[in-house]
Amino acid sequence: MTDKNVQQALVLIKPDGLKKSLTGNILTKLSEAKLCIVGARVLHVSEELAKEHYKQLSDKPFFGELVKYIRGGIHGEPYDRVMALVYQGENAIDKLRKIAGSTNPEEADPVSIRGAYGRITTKGVYENVVHCSSDPAEAEREIKLWFTPDEIAADIYPTKKIVLDKVEQTVWEK
Ligand code: UDP
Ligand code: MG
């Protein structure tokens, strides 16, 4: 029996993807990879989450603009949010990154998502429509940042049960 290299990957549809109404196009394009979506949510990105997500780039000159971009500070309401997805399947990371295209949208294959829809802002940030984890360790770190175990419809990483006392939670009024 062949060993299947099943991987997870975090994909973010960034605020420019939402503003340009590209969500459907992007999901269709990514579906070519024949992977399984095991998590999906739309959320406002806090400054803390943005900085933690991109922490390996914190010494780059574009870090401030990058944090602003992922938080929707360039695209404004109601696009100041991202769609976060978790994909699972054989060699998921390579397959998704190939469809996403190179980081620099000017260098990306024109038929990739970034090549077709990305741009470089006047401040020099690559507004490249999607994020995709680049290796399994990064994927694990990122997925654990963006999702709780309860939001993932598969057992992907070990979990444990804890009992919380007096935790405030928002629930529907009726
Ligand atoms: N980025 C940028 N300029 C650069 C490199 C990166 O604006 O020279 C932005 C771009 O939006 C990219 C993100 O920072 O998607 C994260 O960079 P990374 O090197 O991790 O590229 P990715 O994994 O997204 O291809
Ligand atoms: Mg990266």
Side-chain angles (χ1 to χ4, degrees), residues 9 12 45 74 84 92 124 127-128 131 166:
L12 302 176
V45 181
I74 298 175
E127 223 179 75
N128 54 11
H131 164 82
K166 295 198 173 149

Side-chain angles (χ1 to χ4, degrees), residues 56 97 131 134 138:
Q56 74 281 7
R97 283 189 70 94
H131 164 82
S134 58
E138 185 179 270

Side-chain angles (χ1 to χ4, degrees), residues 2 5 10 91 173:
T2 51
N5 183 29
L10 177 81
N91 298 319
E173 220 170 54

